[in-house]
């Protein structure tokens, strides 16, 4: 069985946190996990969300608390996890909000790493 939409955002970007997801998956006969993170977590995507964040005070606060992680932190974790021997298949990706006005940004950041 595959679970193709899992976010790890509520914990640290550490192998031990990934292991907890793997252990949980194994208990439920899941043999493949797709770990994704929302692009609104990463500072490099701030231009994509600038207009939405400026919409009102609530949105401004919400995004200011979200867009605070360097994308390289997630990429470092992915590289560590790919070098680890797991009992199940693990794939990594981004869940990106599409905006045609920011296609170049999305393409550049998407192309900056070998996502699954």
């Amino acid at each position: 069985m595959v679970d193709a939409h899992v976010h790890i955002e509520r914990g640290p970007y550490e192998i031990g946190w990934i292991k907890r997801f793997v252990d949980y998956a194994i208990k439920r006969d899941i043999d493949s996990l797709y770990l994704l993170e929302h692009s609104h977590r990463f500072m490099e995507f701030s231009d994509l969300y600038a207009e939405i964040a400026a919409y009102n005070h609530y949105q401004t606060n919400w995004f200011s608390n979200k867009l605070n992680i360097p994308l390289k932190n997630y990429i470092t974790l992915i590289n560590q996890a790919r070098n680890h021997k797991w009992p199940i298949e693990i794939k990594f990706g981004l869940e990106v909000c599409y905006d045609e006005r920011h296609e170049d940004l999305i393409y550049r950041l998407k192309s900056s790493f070998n996502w699954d």
Side-chain angles (χ1 to χ4, degrees), residues 10-97:
R10 294 184 185 242
Y13 284 172
E14 298 173 359
I15 290 295
W17 185 239
I18 301 293
K19 184 179 181 323
R20 291 178 65 178
F21 284 86
V22 170
D23 291 346
Y24 189 84
I26 290 169
K27 289 178 186 175
R28 282 147 189 82
D29 294 323
I30 295 170
D31 52 17
S32 185
L33 282 179
Y34 289 53
L35 303 177
L36 312 170
E37 286 294 81
H38 292 280
S39 57
H40 65 245
R41 300 200 52 155
F42 304 109
M43 298 173 349
E44 292 82 358
F45 283 92
S46 62
D47 288 347
L48 178 62
Y49 299 102
E51 185 178 344
I52 298 167
Y55 180 71
N56 61 32
H57 182 68
Y58 175 82
Q59 292 288 101
T60 301
N61 284 341
W62 192 86
F63 278 104
S64 70
N65 289 324
K66 291 290 183 178
L67 284 162
N68 58 5
I69 299 171
L71 185 59
K72 69 179 180 178
N73 291 13
Y74 183 43
I75 290 172
T76 298
L77 174 64
I78 293 169
N79 287 329
Q80 291 171 351
R82 285 179 174 171
N83 289 322
H84 190 84
K85 179 72 173 156
W86 299 103
I88 65 172
E89 178 184 41
I90 300 178
K91 295 187 180 242
F92 292 90
L94 286 172
E95 183 174 334
V96 180
C97 297

